[in-house]
Amino acid sequence: MYTVPKLTDYSSAALEKAASELLAALEAEAAAVRSETDWKEFRDRWMARKNGVLTQVNDLWLKAAPKDAKRDVGQRVNELKAKVEQGIDAALGRAKGGESKLTGSVDITLPGIRRPLGTEHPVIKTMNEIVSIFRNLGYSVAEGPEVESDYYNFESLNFPPNHPARDMQDTLFIANQESKPARDRLLLRTHTSPVQIRTMEKLKPPIRIVIPGKVYRNDPPDASHSPMFHQIEGLAVDNNITFGDLKGTLDHAMKALFGSSVKTQFRPSFFPFTEPSAEMMVSCFICGGSGRRGSEPCRPCKTTGWIEILGCGMVDPNVFEFVKRNGYDPKKVSGFAFGMGADRIAILKYGVDDIQLFFQGDVRFLEQFA
Ligand code: PHE
């Protein structure tokens, strides 16, 4: 290891030789620096106030120099200091670069980090399934706003003002709408049926559409109710559409959805916008329609062997009156409509016992549908 020699000869040539030996030593030691720890040791050896190489140079070369050589030696020592500082700085750069090359490199033998994969939400999955069944029948998809006017949600669907049928759907109203005419007041749509009218305003018959979407009702949440839920609406309008078309279409859709062995049954019902109206039952695909599972009563069908799936009916001529000018003359066209709850169908399909599970975002629940 280099040690600073005492000088006896202060001639320019002797100073030159001493300086170049010192710089050669600096270079050799800098080249051996491999890490930051190495570098600190290197720096201290050269720069430490107490006994560092530069301090020794100061003491042994400059302070010891005879008076008439001081000027010359001082200049050289300053040059050396600058070079040593540069050399030390450069060595730090190399030490860090070398280290980061080591720690930053990828070890391809380590196991990778597994990123969790997203998946369709079970309700969306069910909706997509139902939509695709109808797409295969030639239906297209329509959508509409969730904040809807009284006109589209009720009036044009043949709910007269103050009609008790409006109470069937506990409506959430947007606040501070009292100054507007009743039909313009805004609310959260209680069903997807307003998109029937919106679509018939835009497209002339014949039409075949399905309408998936969110709907809202002022229901307190429990195992089977949620203030927000999902519906899929259907509407077909053409010449000579009959109740037979309605039954055939829905029977096919239920077999595609729940399996070819399910049966359908239509029971009289009421909706202001369909006449006649029906609720459609599907034979219970959990107990096979027997109402029992072994010695236990079948819960999903409440032992009846039938499960209510949707509301439907022939479009009421009063509804066509609202879009008559766009080609929907009730004397010329007829149609059927239906609406089903997607959450309810997902619950039945997957055997889920609480609708709230769909909206809590608990990954432990949701990942079971991946
Ligand atoms: N909109 C009705 C509801 O939400 C369902 C329905 C749609 C009934 C279409 C008949 C025809 O209850």
Side-chain angles (χ1 to χ4, degrees):
M1 173 117 50
Y2 174 78
T3 50
V4 181
K6 279 187 183 154
L7 293 186
T8 45
D9 179 358
Y10 289 91
S11 70
S12 181
L15 284 173
E16 186 68 50
K17 185 170 170 270
S20 71
E21 276 170 13
L22 182 141
L23 288 176
L26 177 79
E27 209 171 291
E29 287 182 34
V33 168
R34 290 269 178 280
S35 66
E36 248 185 287
T37 335
D38 284 0
W39 177 79
K40 280 187 182 143
E41 217 173 279
F42 170 61
R43 176 200 60 192
D44 292 345
R45 182 169 134 68
W46 286 77
M47 307 273 278
R49 272 182 201 289
K50 219 180 131 193
N51 245 9
V53 171
L54 288 181
T55 303
Q56 288 180 49
V57 165
N58 212 48
D59 293 346
L60 299 177
W61 295 0
L62 185 58
K63 280 187 187 162
K67 246 198 171 109
D68 56 339
K70 274 226 160 70
R71 224 182 104 88
D72 210 18
V73 177
Q75 214 170 12
R76 280 189 186 273
V77 167
N78 279 342
E79 278 167 28
L80 275 178
K81 264 190 191 159
K83 282 188 179 157
V84 168
E85 275 163 20
Q86 257 175 36
I88 287 173
D89 277 357
L92 177 61
R94 282 199 306 277
K96 277 194 171 158
E99 266 184 4
S100 76
K101 247 178 234 149
L102 281 179
T103 54
S105 64
V106 179
D107 182 349
I108 57 163
T109 65
L110 288 173
I113 298 163
R114 200 177 287 275
R115 288 180 191 278
L117 274 187
T119 187
E120 267 178 331
H121 187 280
V123 173
I124 302 296
K125 190 167 161 172
T126 304
M127 292 218 279
N128 285 342
E129 241 174 86
I130 296 168
V131 165
S132 82
I133 290 169
F134 284 96
R135 288 186 86 107
N136 288 341
L137 294 174
Y139 283 63
S140 33
V141 178
E143 287 182 302
E146 291 169 25
V147 176
E148 190 52 283
S149 65
D150 182 280
Y151 176 76
Y152 286 111
N153 197 78
F154 290 126
E155 194 180 325
S156 64
L157 289 167
N158 199 34
F159 288 80
N162 305 315
H163 192 278
R166 292 181 176 218
D167 303 343
M168 279 164 60
Q169 308 191 347
D170 300 278
T171 308
L172 291 160
F173 293 93
I174 305 291
N176 305 321
Q177 303 275 304
E178 292 76 11
S179 61
K180 291 187 182 170
R183 60 162 57 177
D184 294 339
R185 291 184 196 162
L186 298 175
L187 45 82
L188 295 182
R189 68 179 180 191
T190 58
H191 50 179
T192 40
S193 303
V195 189
Q196 288 189 29
I197 300 288
R198 287 184 172 275
T199 309
M200 288 191 285
E201 284 179 347
K202 273 191 244 139
L203 305 177
K204 298 196 186 312
I207 56 166
R208 291 192 294 270
I209 51 163
V210 277
I211 306 152
K214 289 192 175 76
V215 301
Y216 302 83
R217 291 188 196 177
N218 188 16
D219 287 328
D222 64 28
S224 54
H225 294 85
S226 163
M228 184 282 297
F229 57 104
H230 300 81
Q231 284 190 339
I232 296 169
E233 187 93 6
L235 174 68
V237 183
D238 202 343
N239 299 317
N240 303 318
I241 297 249
T242 68
F243 202 90
D245 297 316
L246 165 61
K247 289 179 77 171
T249 303
L250 289 178
D251 186 75
H252 164 81
M254 293 305 119
K255 287 181 162 65
L257 188 58
F258 296 115
S260 56
S261 59
V262 298
K263 297 191 181 93
T264 53
Q265 190 189 74
F266 293 77
R267 300 182 182 174
S269 185
F270 173 79
F271 299 99
F273 40 95
T274 46
E275 182 59 31
S277 302
E279 58 194 33
M280 191 195 67
M281 316 295 288
V282 169
S283 60
C284 183
F285 41 86
I286 289 150
C287 64
S290 69
R292 303 201 68 80
R293 297 169 83 185
S295 58
E296 296 285 307
C298 180
R299 276 226 276 155
C301 69
K302 303 190 195 84
T303 75
T304 64
W306 294 93
I307 295 176
E308 189 192 329
I309 290 287
L310 56 77
C312 58
M314 302 306 290
V315 178
D316 193 306
N318 291 343
V319 171
F320 286 138
E321 287 293 336
F322 287 92
V323 284
K324 195 172 177 174
R325 273 178 305 157
N326 200 30
Y328 294 88
D329 182 344
K331 293 203 183 70
K332 293 188 183 136
V333 296
S334 60
F336 64 78
F338 56 87
M340 57 188 121
D343 323 76
R344 206 175 116 72
I345 291 173
I347 281 175
L348 292 167
K349 246 179 108 75
Y350 296 115
V352 173
D353 57 13
D354 185 350
I355 192 174
Q356 300 304 322
L357 288 164
F358 285 142
F359 309 126
Q360 288 164 344
D362 188 330
V363 175
R364 292 167 301 179
F365 171 73
L366 296 173
E367 70 187 358
Q368 296 176 62
F369 301 91

